[in-house]
Amino acid sequence: MGKYLYCIIQEKRPKKFDFSGIEGKRVYTVHDGPIGVVVSDTDKKEGEYLITRDYTIAHQRVLEGIMGKGYDILPISFGTVADNDDLIKEKLLRARRNEFNKAFMYINGKVELNLKVLWNDISSVFEEIRRESGIVRRAKQASKYGALGRFQAANVGEMVKKTLDAKRTKAAERVISPLKSLAADTRSGEILQDAMVCNETFLVPKTLGKEYDKRIRELARTSGDKMNFMNYGPLPPYNFVSIRVSFK
């Protein structure tokens, strides 16, 4: 019987959990020493799990369930399958024990928290850029002068983008700075749209979680209605530990 892998935990005894995993299978640990891998039984092989909504939700639900039991976890990528218990023990738990111990030292007692902040009215931000920088006025003036003027006018979009990026960097620093002091580590995510101020992920000690939330509420209050703060977590520490598993 194959084993579908979810995450690695520190646990000295074999455990069975009171929630189900992918395909409704029971969730338990394959164990060796002080570390266990959270698994459920499967008839599928590596590469046979398609990334469907039902499967990904079930995978994530198990990780959340394990975290809800108070465990710190090293998440394993979706769709990872081992042929049997012995393979997990030999190739994973024994062969990589030192690696996992170091990873646990890094993330123990901490959670991943993600903050996305957006300007509520991006059109007003562009209006500020137009008013403060005079880009449009200068472009109109330049357009009166032959080919060079037309070239300059065609680059208004690039000029606006640079100014917007500078404005975003300044606004993001005001948001991130008071939160960064609480975090053991941070990661900056992709800016997905013009209205996004920041997409920042923090590794925060659990003991500072309430203070983190308090500071976000204060930042939201002082921003008035200019920004929308979206706070996600606690999450598995995907951005701070990368456990790649291959049994080939």
Side-chain angles (χ1 to χ4, degrees):
M1 176 66 70
K3 309 297 175 183
Y4 181 97
L5 281 61
Y6 298 94
C7 62
I8 300 166
I9 62 173
Q10 290 177 306
E11 173 56 64
K12 295 180 179 179
R13 296 182 178 85
K15 295 285 290 187
K16 295 180 181 179
F17 297 98
D18 57 358
F19 45 81
S20 59
I22 283 180
E23 298 169 331
K25 300 294 179 61
R26 68 187 181 94
V27 176
Y28 60 99
T29 59
V30 173
H31 224 269
D32 189 86
I35 297 177
V37 179
V38 178
V39 305
S40 59
D41 294 338
T42 181
D43 295 323
K44 289 184 170 60
K45 300 291 185 181
E46 183 80 21
E48 292 185 1
Y49 276 100
L50 301 178
I51 303 177
T52 66
R53 184 173 182 274
D54 287 345
Y55 282 158
T56 55
I57 288 176
H59 180 100
Q60 186 65 24
R61 188 182 298 122
V62 170
L63 299 186
E64 292 172 355
I66 299 297
M67 291 175 65
K69 298 291 186 182
Y71 290 99
D72 297 308
I73 71 171
L74 302 179
I76 296 174
S77 300
F78 171 86
T80 302
V81 175
D83 288 341
N84 52 61
D85 291 13
D86 290 340
L87 198 60
I88 294 173
K89 292 177 183 180
E90 180 184 351
K91 298 293 187 180
L92 201 60
L93 294 177
R94 294 170 189 160
R96 300 175 63 181
R97 181 167 294 165
N98 288 339
E99 174 192 347
F100 297 152
N101 286 338
K102 289 179 181 178
F104 275 118
M105 288 177 63
Y106 175 51
I107 61 99
N108 270 354
K110 306 177 187 74
V111 291
E112 180 172 314
L113 301 167
N114 174 255
L115 177 66
K116 292 179 174 65
V117 180
L118 279 74
W119 280 302
N120 278 325
D121 186 0
I122 188 62
S123 61
S124 68
V125 176
F126 281 123
E127 175 60 24
E128 286 179 13
I129 291 173
R130 185 196 67 78
R131 186 173 60 251
E132 294 170 1
S133 65
I135 288 175
V136 175
R137 174 179 52 77
R138 294 202 307 272
K140 285 182 178 178
Q141 289 176 344
S143 66
K144 298 176 182 178
Y145 303 101
L148 179 60
R150 287 193 296 274
F151 175 80
Q152 290 174 327
N155 283 272
V156 170
E158 183 179 347
M159 296 163 66
V160 170
K161 182 181 183 305
K162 288 181 178 179
T163 306
L164 177 63
D165 287 344
K167 197 175 188 71
R168 175 185 293 113
T169 298
K170 188 175 180 180
E173 178 59 28
R174 288 196 298 268
V175 170
I176 294 170
S177 181
L179 300 174
K180 202 169 186 178
S181 63
L182 298 175
D185 206 348
T186 63
R187 296 286 186 274
S188 295
E190 184 180 359
I191 299 300
L192 303 171
Q193 55 180 289
D194 285 342
M196 184 170 281
V197 176
C198 67
N199 178 12
E200 198 77 5
T201 302
F202 303 88
L203 186 65
V204 177
K206 295 175 183 178
T207 55
L208 297 178
K210 290 183 179 179
E211 178 62 23
Y212 174 89
D213 291 340
K214 178 182 176 182
R215 292 191 187 186
I216 289 181
R217 289 194 298 270
E218 180 62 18
L219 286 165
R221 186 188 66 79
T222 56
S223 76
D225 60 354
K226 291 184 178 180
M227 294 181 183
N228 181 23
F229 288 73
M230 294 175 288
N231 188 22
Y232 302 95
L235 304 166
Y238 288 116
N239 285 281
F240 300 98
V241 290
S242 179
I243 305 300
R244 299 186 181 277
V245 177
S246 176
F247 296 104
K248 295 180 180 179

